Amino acid sequence: MALAAISGEAPLSVLKPQAVRSSRQGAHSAGLSGTFATARGTGNLKLAGRVWLQAGLLVPLARRRRRTRGLRTASAASSAPVAGKYDGPALDAYYGKNPLRAVSRLVEVVSRINAARTAWQDEAQPQQQRGQRLRDEVSSLGTVFVKLAQTMATRSDLVTKELGRELRVLQDSMGRFPDEVALETIREEFEWTGPVAARRPGPEGHEASKDGEPLFASLSAEPVAAASLAQVYRGNLLDGREVAVKVQRPGLADQVGLDFYVLRQMLSAVNAVMGATRSSEIAESVLSEVADGLFAEIDFTMEGQHIEKFMDLYGADCPDVVVPEVIWSRTRLKVLTTTWLLGRKPRDLNAQEKLRMVNLAAPCLSLQLMGAGFVHCDPHEGNMMLLEDGRLGLIDFGLVAQMTDVHQESMASAILSLLAEDYRALVPCFRGMGILSSQRDDDEDLKRPGETQPFAEALEEALTGGGGGRLVQESAGLDRRRAFGQLYEELSNLAFRYYFTLPSYYILVMRSFVTLEGIAFGADPDFNMYTTSSPYAFRRLLTPRTPEGKKLLEQTILEPVKDGAGRKLRLLTLLQGSLISGKSRAQQASAKEAARLATKTVAEVLLAAEGEELREILASLDSTELVEDLASKGAAPFRRAALSAALGRMRPTSDRQHRRQLRRMMRRHLSRAAQRRPLLVAKLLLQLLRALLP
């Protein structure tokens, strides 16, 4: 996007992302980043100026072109685009009716972006001062450009680390809007002629009221929170329940629509001047990604639906996680009313309380990631609280992500491959996650110009510290490979050497994990997110729903035997890797609990209908290798779990057919192994008998 022009070192292009895009938006894709990069590289600033001028001229030209598109377009232009759904052609049709307004906004945008670019590239000034001037210019453009900049800050494939660091702390400069405007918004949304609240403190502290039935029993005189999209008031319903009333900023939807219209015209103009390039793919992707999310966020009824969907999916499995109840009778497109959650934010908690918060949030986040794939993607410190009863409260569900089955299965395999320290196995996982889109098995097309090292080799080097020791270097006894954030940082660094993209869902999910890790590490340096997430990753990987998932399952839990004549399990390797076990007693105790949960998961899946793939894999294993693994010292949890599953202890209501199938499989493996190593089989049988004793 335009902000990529600010840095002179950002990569100029990436491979086509895997995001789903509307074909109707394809005509507006353009190489904005590439345009600026070309202009910088040649020093031809006049070229960039001509592009901006062309963008301004194309607005009225686009209007004339639209007049020839027939009655259907004319009808679409008659009403404003609806919040909740990003529709680029509808924006073109609607805002094209007023080209002077669009050109005026275009001039302002170009002026601010050029000022930001000039400020950032003024190396005579300290970086801190340059960064502040950069943020001031971008934030003055409003919500859309702040969201774009914040998105780009997480995309190391677009901007340099220095620029990303400055944009990451960017905040919008939009202050509070008048309370009377908020009240008028409420009246308009509910078509209400009576008072908004029966009791509401006036400017001097007295109570102001109107005749008639009120919507609320009371409402605070001032907002308790304010942000770029809305203000939140605290109040009470007529039945006495305490509520939070979120009111959208006036004119927000119209301004958002206009800004995306202007950006679409700029992209179209650049494309017309420079031609379609590889960079145009990423420019369109980022624009569509931010637009989809922002249009959804400004429809508050969608946020209400997200809250209810979250409870339906995870309420039973996360009983200690609380979300507010949506009051639908007091909710509209621009007003969201929910029950009030009373709690303390992370900054107000002591170390023990912070750790409790994380220990409640991390399993719930792992369940979202590996369960239904519906993820609350904005768990920053302002949206989490520890309630008075010790439970975790989550608010603000405007930003969510829905992962696909392939994404989930690939991420689960990646987590377990990390535990096994099989870093080259991450490459197929990254393909499934949409990070890599190489068309060749040797990944040669991933290399940027001048790069000679294969991607898989560079990835392994980065994760083992071979590239300078940054990753495995311990600080205060902490192996930083145990942090999702460190993995994300290392992967981001590789974006400057190889063509790949970081999908929006991946960035949102990693941001969630990094937020929790930041809170946890302040209370417990031994905290290990992999330990928390591994049992959920096991279940997701062991129950594949796609052909890609079935292939990843085999690649992750199997390895060839020494003579190459069969395959053996490496489940024990996954649970005994140094990344999960750690060195301290606390780390090892946590790892033992994770191993117990993962073992229990394996046994449960073996008896479940969705465990067919796992049962088939077990049946195909080399019998001697399997018995040898089960007889090893570290396999005691697996022996107990397998015995419980075979005897029906773990799930009395499980399908008897699956239990009988498991017993036959075990007898067959024992019989085959006894022919080659009878003493080994005798050892295993003795261990199983001991496991039966109380």
Side-chain angles (χ1 to χ4, degrees):
M1 301 299 297
L3 296 175
I6 296 171
S7 169
E9 302 173 8
L12 305 185
S13 57
V14 295
L15 287 177
K16 181 177 180 179
Q18 299 299 313
V20 177
R21 308 186 186 95
S22 168
S23 60
R24 294 176 297 176
Q25 299 168 9
H28 295 272
S29 63
L32 188 59
S33 303
T35 299
F36 276 110
T38 303
R40 285 199 313 273
T42 61
N44 189 2
L45 296 179
K46 293 182 179 180
L47 174 60
R50 287 200 301 271
V51 171
W52 294 120
L53 178 61
Q54 181 75 5
L57 293 175
L58 279 182
V59 174
L61 289 176
R63 183 189 181 195
R64 288 199 293 271
R65 287 199 303 270
R66 279 189 293 274
R67 290 173 181 167
T68 67
R69 293 179 183 174
L71 295 176
R72 182 177 180 183
T73 299
S75 175
S78 62
S79 59
V82 179
K85 179 177 176 57
Y86 170 55
D87 187 337
L91 294 180
D92 297 343
Y94 179 75
Y95 290 99
K97 296 185 297 182
N98 190 353
L100 292 181
R101 183 187 178 201
V103 169
S104 175
R105 180 59 171 166
L106 173 68
V107 171
E108 180 183 8
V109 169
V110 172
S111 174
R112 293 289 186 182
I113 293 298
N114 279 337
R117 177 174 177 268
T118 300
W120 178 247
Q121 294 182 343
D122 183 9
E123 297 185 359
Q125 301 296 327
Q127 181 170 323
Q128 183 178 2
Q129 183 176 338
R130 291 188 292 127
Q132 185 60 54
R133 290 178 58 193
L134 162 71
R135 292 192 296 273
D136 289 344
E137 294 293 346
V138 175
S139 64
S140 68
L141 288 172
T143 301
V144 169
F145 292 89
V146 169
K147 293 283 187 181
L148 280 169
Q150 290 172 337
T151 299
M152 293 179 62
T154 64
R155 299 289 295 262
S156 58
D157 50 349
L158 291 177
V159 299
T160 62
K161 286 192 292 187
E162 291 76 14
L163 179 56
R165 191 178 301 114
E166 298 297 336
L167 295 179
R168 199 170 292 124
V169 296
L170 178 67
Q171 300 290 333
D172 62 76
S173 60
M174 302 171 72
R176 280 180 47 191
F177 58 89
D179 299 317
E180 284 304 317
V181 174
L183 295 177
E184 187 59 32
T185 298
I186 295 175
R187 294 188 189 99
E188 291 177 355
E189 286 297 294
F190 290 92
E191 299 180 354
W192 198 256
T193 57
V196 172
R199 299 185 308 277
R200 185 169 182 273
E204 284 81 34
H206 64 276
E207 291 189 346
S209 65
K210 293 184 178 180
D211 295 331
E213 178 75 11
L215 281 172
F216 300 94
S218 66
L219 207 62
S220 59
E222 296 181 346
V224 295
S228 59
L229 302 184
Q231 294 180 173
V232 178
Y233 295 83
R234 187 173 182 175
N236 292 90
L237 298 176
L238 299 180
D239 62 11
R241 283 182 293 172
E242 195 169 18
V243 292
V245 183
K246 184 176 179 179
V247 184
Q248 190 172 119
R249 185 173 292 276
L252 177 65
D254 180 60
Q255 186 62 53
V256 167
L258 175 63
D259 283 347
F260 278 113
Y261 169 72
V262 168
L263 286 167
R264 286 171 59 82
Q265 297 304 317
M266 291 167 62
L267 289 172
S268 181
V270 171
N271 198 40
V273 173
M274 301 299 298
T277 66
R278 216 175 193 184
S279 298
S280 67
E281 295 285 353
I282 196 64
E284 179 190 356
S285 173
V286 171
L287 182 63
S288 297
E289 171 191 324
V290 175
D292 286 338
L294 195 49
F295 268 84
E297 282 193 83
I298 61 178
D299 181 351
F300 289 173
T301 63
M302 291 189 67
E303 181 174 350
Q305 293 168 11
H306 294 159
I307 293 174
E308 293 196 337
K309 183 175 181 179
F310 184 92
M311 266 321 285
D312 290 342
L313 291 172
Y314 309 119
D317 294 318
C318 300
D320 291 325
V321 176
V322 180
V323 300
E325 176 189 350
V326 181
I327 311 299
W328 286 109
S329 64
R330 295 296 182 265
T331 295
R332 295 292 186 271
L333 185 73
K334 298 180 182 179
V335 179
L336 173 65
T337 302
T338 62
T339 52
W340 183 268
L341 295 186
L342 183 61
R344 291 173 296 150
K345 303 296 177 63
R347 63 177 177 271
D348 301 321
L349 304 177
N350 59 38
Q352 185 177 0
E353 291 170 329
K354 287 181 179 179
L355 196 57
R356 173 169 176 77
M357 171 181 279
V358 174
N359 285 334
L360 292 174
C364 185
L365 179 57
S366 299
L367 177 63
Q368 296 170 54
L369 190 67
M370 298 299 166
F374 182 75
V375 186
H376 176 259
C377 287
D378 203 13
H380 62 70
E381 296 200 7
N383 290 341
M384 293 189 299
M385 63 187 75
L386 192 64
L387 305 182
E388 292 182 332
D389 60 5
R391 293 184 295 172
L392 170 69
L394 292 179
I395 59 175
D396 195 349
F397 283 76
L399 188 60
V400 298
Q402 179 62 63
M403 298 177 65
T404 67
D405 288 339
V406 173
H407 289 160
Q408 289 180 284
E409 292 160 350
S410 300
M411 187 168 284
S413 179
I415 291 173
L416 299 180
S417 295
L418 281 165
L419 296 181
E421 300 181 81
D422 186 359
Y423 302 122
R424 297 200 178 211
L426 292 173
V427 174
C429 301
F430 288 164
R431 292 185 195 277
M433 292 164 62
I435 295 175
L436 302 179
S437 54
S438 172
Q439 303 302 313
R440 294 174 49 171
D441 292 336
D442 59 6
D443 293 330
E444 283 296 312
D445 53 347
L446 293 180
K447 297 177 182 177
R448 290 188 180 275
E451 181 60 53
T452 59
Q453 190 177 27
F455 175 77
E457 182 180 310
L459 179 64
E460 182 177 38
E461 184 177 273
L463 295 180
T464 57
R470 296 185 311 279
L471 197 59
V472 298
Q473 176 182 350
E474 292 199 354
S475 175
L478 176 65
D479 185 342
R480 292 187 292 164
R481 286 179 296 178
R482 295 191 179 90
F484 272 83
Q486 187 65 24
L487 170 64
Y488 175 64
E489 182 178 338
E490 291 299 323
L491 188 59
S492 298
N493 290 335
L494 291 177
F496 291 93
R497 299 169 55 190
Y498 302 91
Y499 291 116
F500 61 83
T501 188
L502 300 177
S504 59
Y505 84 87
Y506 174 81
I507 293 171
L508 293 173
V509 167
M510 292 302 293
R511 188 173 68 179
S512 300
F513 275 114
V514 169
T515 298
L516 293 180
E517 286 178 336
I519 299 172
F521 288 153
D524 180 13
D526 288 334
F527 180 80
N528 187 339
M529 186 65 78
Y530 292 118
T531 302
T532 301
S533 60
S534 61
Y536 300 92
F538 260 103
R539 179 174 292 278
R540 190 64 190 85
L541 184 69
L542 296 176
T543 56
R545 302 168 189 163
T546 67
E548 295 87 349
K550 294 175 183 178
K551 185 176 181 180
L552 283 172
L553 172 60
E554 293 190 4
Q555 291 175 345
T556 305
I557 71 170
L558 295 179
E559 58 185 353
V561 297
K562 296 178 181 179
D563 59 9
R567 300 181 298 177
K568 60 179 291 187
L569 281 176
R570 62 169 184 173
L571 283 175
L572 295 178
T573 306
L574 295 176
L575 292 176
Q576 294 173 351
S578 63
L579 295 193
I580 195 171
S581 60
K583 295 181 178 180
S584 70
R585 290 184 178 180
Q587 289 172 334
Q588 292 174 358
S590 178
K592 183 179 293 186
E593 175 62 13
R596 186 190 68 79
L597 292 175
T599 301
K600 180 182 177 183
T601 297
V602 172
E604 289 177 346
V605 171
L606 282 173
L607 294 177
E610 61 265 31
E612 186 62 33
E613 290 297 324
L614 181 58
R615 289 191 291 271
E616 290 181 2
I617 287 176
L618 289 178
S620 69
L621 294 176
D622 179 276
S623 299
T624 303
E625 293 286 349
L626 177 61
V627 171
E628 185 174 8
D629 283 341
L630 290 176
S632 64
K633 181 179 179 180
F638 280 97
R639 289 195 295 271
R640 288 191 294 268
L643 194 60
S644 297
L647 296 177
R649 290 179 175 179
M650 187 163 292
R651 291 180 53 175
T653 59
S654 63
D655 193 324
R656 292 182 179 180
Q657 178 183 352
H658 297 148
R659 189 161 59 246
R660 288 195 299 268
Q661 182 182 359
L662 182 59
R663 289 173 180 171
R664 289 195 300 269
M665 183 194 310
M666 292 180 66
R667 286 197 297 267
R668 187 164 55 251
H669 280 306
L670 289 172
S671 176
R672 291 173 179 172
Q675 296 176 12
R676 298 177 58 186
R677 299 185 62 182
L679 293 179
L680 177 63
V681 172
K683 176 183 177 182
L684 176 59
L685 291 174
L686 181 60
Q687 291 171 327
L688 292 174
L689 287 173
R690 288 176 180 172
L692 287 174
L693 298 177

